[in-house]
Amino acid sequence: MLQSRFSQDCIKLSSVPGMSSPGVFPPAPEASAAAHVSSYERYQELYARSTQHPDEFWGEIANEFHWRVPPAQPLLQYNFDVTKGKIFIEWMKGGVTNICYNVLDRNVHNKLGDKIAFYWEGNEPGDSLSITYSELLRKVCQFANVLRGQGIKKGDRVSIYMPMVIELVVAMLACARIGAIHSIVFAGFSSESLCERILDSHCSLLITADGFFRGDKLINLKLIADDALKKCAEKNYPLSKCIVLKHLGRDEIVCDGPSKTSPPCKRQCPNLQGKKQERPKRTHPQINWDPSVDMWWHELIKDASVECEPEWCDSEDELFILYTSGSTGKPKFEGLPIYPDISRMWQIIDKYKVSKFYTAPTAIRLLMKYGEDPVKKYSRKSLKVLGTVGEPINPEAWLWYYSVVGDKRCPIVDTFWQTETGGHVLTPLPGATTTKPGSATFPFFGVVPAILDESGEELEGEAEGYLVFKQPWPALMRTVYGNQERFETTYFKKFPGYYVTGDGCRRDKDGYYWITGRIDDMLNVSGHLLSTAEVESALVEHSSVAEAAVVSHPHPVKGECLYCFVTLRDGHEFNTTLVDQLKKLVREKIGPIATPDYIQNAPGLPKTRSGKIMRRVLRKIAKNDQDLGDTSTLADTAVIQELFENRCKTLQ
């Protein structure tokens, strides 16, 4: 997907709710005085303005940006109806600005240069750093000049295949500064996936790193990148420029003197061909090197100027390319959330006095397995708001998150959004809206949702069907890069006049929205549509179950049936009694039609490195299909064989 240069800004929201009746969590008025949205009535007022007069609403926010040439009216032009011509979305077209300038220069000019832009936490405890806006601006300007020196210009595409390090942000902002389009490729992807993405966007340059650790596992990133470039050459697209960050062993190089922005490597530097050195020894990482292609990052920037004039761009010039790859819930530190021990998240919260904690339901359920003690070891008093994203959260996980992590004092902002939407589109507003566990609550500013039936008719009041949006907001994707036809077919053709999310949704009698899961995660059992998310939510209500994943399985009579994988809490046993209890629970919560045919013990589930369950793999396992396709994004491939060995005996 392709995103433009004017993106959705955020509106300050804050407050701390208390808990009253079970299942309903009202806002706390005492903490909302400083918030822009201080009540539900104020939310309704702002929401009405944002949807009825979007030019006026977003124009006020745009006035806070620096514009070389201010945008002219009308600020919004678009078409969502494929029957009326090409689908397009244009915000602030004709306005000239630069996103990097707004992110960095503007803050420095406003005397915020010495403020911390962000903190970085490495794989090992103790690997950490902070960077100010001024420091970040200097590094971005240096690397922007490096890119220009390599011939990169406005409109060129640059692939970034890096771990979660400071230089990843530097590379992104440097591209934005010179008008280049950056394409982020998740560092968990295989060489084949990287090759495909380079070819898709016709990239002119690749930025990568020597390697990194994810827990105890070494990821040889440069070797994967080398293989990707080889594959590109075999497909008649030789890429001749690759900038390599020396991340492992960065303590051995001196590019700008000792600095708090150059953390030491706090573990042994390995031979990247596979042989690790003893911990006390630190040798230079051994990697393949082609001097006609490869260039060290630190060598390129050492003589680069710290001043770089931005490339001034139209608001609708391309900014970046993102892939909808199931990488939701990606961690903001380099390693794993339970490495080196299961208290790592809470230790980080206390260390940095984190006020807002945002993660995925999958991660919450993972942490629930270990009980309350690892959480209670740390105070977490700095926390004010908790957030969830990536998939519908089951009420039990929501309540654990609220009661244990937030000590019943932090509101939970259960957001719904997609890579394509560029930001959250359904969300509670702490301090303004009453929350319900598991509900994404209400539409965000500028977002007009609707629920359609199969024929495309809008449903009023309580309803369940297809979730769509009726008009654009600034952050919405602009196209599928190089494939406008696919963009229109995927998101607009099924229901002309609407952006189709591909998700099912239920609206309750109070107007709250509940995401029921991807439409393709719906099962047709004997003519009845069932949501896998609802069944999973019922299963994890059992005290023995920490996590559940449900997929469809062929059935000779019903067409499809439910095949369930359950991960148990520590100390619980999987047996026929438990299976019977779980089936009974699902019948009671949803109905007899939803009774699972198969329930399998799953000590571990196949997940991406970002923590998202790979249901495609689970469907293959349920069918005993050994052809799993690309599994390079799996965090732990060892769980696959165990799941095959524990398969239920099925009719088909």
Side-chain angles (χ1 to χ4, degrees):
M1 58 159 280
L2 190 66
Q3 184 57 282
S4 74
R5 293 191 166 260
F6 181 77
S7 186
Q8 184 170 344
D9 207 344
C10 58
I11 294 178
K12 181 181 177 184
L13 306 169
S14 66
S15 193
V16 180
M19 178 178 178
S20 58
S21 59
V24 179
F25 297 77
E30 69 276 6
S32 61
H36 292 178
V37 184
S38 56
S39 66
Y40 180 62
E41 290 72 24
R42 177 60 173 158
Y43 157 74
Q44 289 180 308
E45 176 190 337
L46 289 172
Y47 178 74
R49 281 185 57 216
S50 72
T51 55
Q52 297 169 16
H53 306 286
D55 281 28
E56 175 186 309
F57 181 85
W58 294 110
E60 289 180 8
I61 293 175
N63 287 338
E64 299 177 11
F65 283 59
H66 172 85
W67 297 91
R68 178 56 62 96
V69 177
Q73 294 288 346
L75 299 185
L76 169 63
Q77 298 185 75
Y78 75 100
N79 174 43
F80 269 13
D81 191 339
V82 291
T83 67
K84 296 181 179 179
K86 178 182 176 181
I87 299 297
F88 72 95
I89 303 156
E90 294 177 345
W91 280 97
M92 321 287 176
K93 189 169 178 61
V96 177
T97 188
N98 182 280
I99 288 297
C100 178
Y101 186 93
N102 279 281
V103 169
L104 297 178
D105 304 61
R106 187 179 56 148
N107 284 306
V108 172
H109 294 162
N110 288 337
K111 299 181 180 180
L112 297 175
D114 292 333
K115 296 289 185 181
I116 301 297
F118 57 83
Y119 297 96
W120 178 83
E121 184 78 12
N123 186 60
E124 297 287 333
D127 282 4
S128 59
L129 61 86
S130 61
I131 187 167
T132 66
Y133 282 101
S134 291
E135 291 169 332
L136 186 57
L137 175 59
R138 287 194 293 271
K139 288 180 177 291
V140 167
C141 286
Q142 281 185 302
F143 197 65
N145 286 323
V146 166
L147 293 176
R148 277 180 171 161
Q150 295 300 317
I152 303 299
K153 59 187 184 302
K154 180 181 177 181
D156 287 346
R157 279 77 60 204
V158 175
S159 279
I160 303 177
Y161 183 60
M162 299 179 75
M164 297 288 189
V165 291
I166 290 284
E167 290 82 0
L168 169 61
V169 179
V170 170
M172 293 166 59
L173 289 173
C175 288
R177 193 168 193 86
I178 64 173
I181 304 168
H182 63 266
S183 173
I184 299 292
V185 182
F186 176 47
F189 281 158
S190 66
S191 59
E192 183 64 36
S193 297
L194 174 58
C195 169
E196 289 174 357
R197 284 153 175 74
I198 291 172
L199 296 176
D200 282 346
S201 54
H202 295 87
C203 285
S204 303
L205 182 144
L206 172 65
I207 306 171
T208 189
D210 50 2
F212 66 100
F213 279 94
R214 197 164 177 83
D216 279 323
K217 186 177 181 181
L218 170 66
I219 309 297
N220 191 331
L221 212 58
K222 177 60 164 62
L223 190 63
I224 300 171
D226 288 342
D227 192 41
L229 295 187
K230 180 181 176 183
K231 293 178 187 297
C232 287
E234 292 170 351
K235 296 180 180 180
N236 298 316
Y237 193 81
L239 195 64
S240 60
K241 295 177 181 179
C242 178
I243 298 177
V244 185
L245 172 71
K246 186 181 287 188
H247 178 56
L248 295 176
R250 63 167 67 219
D251 51 334
E252 298 177 8
I253 63 174
V254 178
C255 55
D256 56 359
S259 169
K260 63 181 177 179
T261 59
S262 295
C265 179
K266 294 281 186 168
R267 63 155 57 232
Q268 71 272 27
C269 284
N271 178 316
L272 286 184
Q273 301 302 327
K275 182 180 179 182
K276 292 185 180 179
Q277 305 295 325
E278 296 299 323
R279 183 174 290 274
K281 298 179 182 178
R282 289 185 181 173
T283 59
H284 191 284
Q286 300 298 308
I287 60 175
N288 297 326
W289 195 260
D290 182 351
S292 67
V293 174
D294 299 324
M295 300 166 281
W296 282 118
W297 176 300
H298 61 276
E299 291 181 354
L300 291 172
I301 66 168
K302 63 183 179 182
D303 296 321
S305 171
V306 296
E307 295 183 359
C308 178
E309 177 66 17
E311 182 75 31
W312 299 102
C313 304
D314 187 275
S315 176
E316 282 297 327
D317 284 344
E318 298 88 350
L319 177 60
F320 58 76
I321 299 169
L322 280 181
Y323 286 82
T324 56
S325 57
S327 57
T328 314
K330 50 187 173 296
K332 300 300 183 286
F333 34 87
E334 183 192 12
L336 293 168
I338 56 173
Y339 178 86
D341 61 61
I342 56 179
S343 295
R344 185 71 186 277
M345 280 190 171
W346 324 123
Q347 180 264 329
I348 290 173
I349 287 171
D350 278 9
K351 176 180 178 180
Y352 294 105
K353 295 181 172 55
V354 172
S355 58
K356 300 172 184 65
F357 181 57
Y358 197 43
T359 190
T362 296
I364 296 168
R365 290 190 290 267
L366 168 67
L367 295 165
M368 283 175 66
K369 284 177 58 177
Y370 303 102
E372 299 183 9
D373 289 346
V375 186
K376 298 294 187 179
K377 282 170 57 179
Y378 296 89
S379 74
R380 296 155 287 109
K381 290 182 178 178
S382 59
L383 286 175
K384 295 180 180 178
V385 177
L386 303 176
T388 69
V389 67
E391 59 185 298
I393 185 170
N394 54 292
E396 186 188 26
W398 194 101
L399 290 167
W400 186 87
Y401 197 32
Y402 176 79
S403 302
V404 177
V405 178
D407 288 330
K408 298 184 179 179
R409 59 179 179 79
C410 299
I412 293 181
V413 182
D414 179 14
T415 61
F416 168 76
W417 58 285
Q418 303 172 313
T419 304
E420 297 95 327
T421 65
H424 50 251
V425 287
L426 299 175
T427 179
L429 301 184
T433 56
T434 298
T435 56
K436 297 183 181 182
S439 169
T441 314
F442 298 117
F444 194 63
F445 301 108
V447 177
V448 183
I451 296 178
L452 307 184
D453 63 17
E454 188 65 45
S455 65
E457 293 296 319
E458 285 194 27
L459 303 175
E460 302 296 332
E462 287 186 72
E464 184 166 355
Y466 293 88
L467 176 64
V468 298
F469 296 118
K470 302 171 70 170
Q471 66 186 46
W473 52 96
L476 185 63
M477 69 182 296
R478 297 305 194 257
T479 188
V480 172
Y481 188 78
N483 197 337
Q484 175 72 12
E485 182 180 357
R486 182 180 176 189
F487 172 61
E488 296 185 357
T489 300
T490 302
Y491 300 99
F492 298 94
K493 188 173 182 179
K494 184 174 180 65
F495 299 119
Y498 301 93
Y499 168 84
V500 182
T501 65
D503 283 288
C505 184
R506 176 172 61 86
R507 185 173 53 228
D508 68 17
K509 62 183 177 59
D510 299 317
Y512 285 60
Y513 288 84
W514 303 74
I515 303 300
T516 57
R518 298 294 296 172
I519 294 298
D520 53 13
D521 284 339
M522 302 291 284
L523 290 80
N524 193 324
V525 179
S526 299
H528 297 269
L529 282 179
L530 296 175
S531 165
T532 59
E534 288 183 283
V535 180
E536 290 166 0
S537 182
L539 289 169
V540 296
E541 286 192 27
H542 194 284
S543 59
S544 297
V545 179
E547 189 167 25
V550 177
V551 297
S552 65
H553 188 273
H555 191 279
V557 177
K558 296 186 285 188
E560 288 183 306
C561 66
L562 295 164
Y563 192 113
C564 308
F565 299 83
V566 295
T567 301
L568 303 186
R569 296 178 184 272
D570 289 348
H572 292 265
E573 181 183 355
F574 186 88
N575 51 39
T576 55
T577 301
L578 176 62
V579 170
D580 291 341
Q581 290 174 353
L582 292 174
K583 289 184 178 182
K584 181 174 182 289
L585 182 61
V586 174
R587 281 196 299 270
E588 292 173 350
K589 293 291 181 181
I590 303 175
I593 194 66
T595 304
D597 281 59
Y598 308 106
I599 299 180
Q600 175 179 335
N601 184 25
L605 292 170
K607 298 178 181 179
T608 64
R609 291 177 178 84
S610 63
K612 191 145 189 175
I613 297 171
M614 295 184 72
R615 299 173 195 277
R616 169 183 64 82
V617 172
L618 289 178
R619 282 190 286 268
K620 294 275 190 176
I621 293 170
K623 295 175 184 177
N624 202 22
D625 183 351
Q626 301 280 342
D627 183 13
L628 300 180
D630 184 9
T631 58
S632 62
T633 60
L634 276 176
D636 181 10
T637 56
V639 303
I640 299 296
Q641 186 57 39
E642 187 174 24
L643 289 172
F644 271 115
E645 292 172 355
N646 290 341
R647 271 192 77 253
C648 299
K649 186 176 180 180
T650 60
L651 295 176
Q652 284 190 332

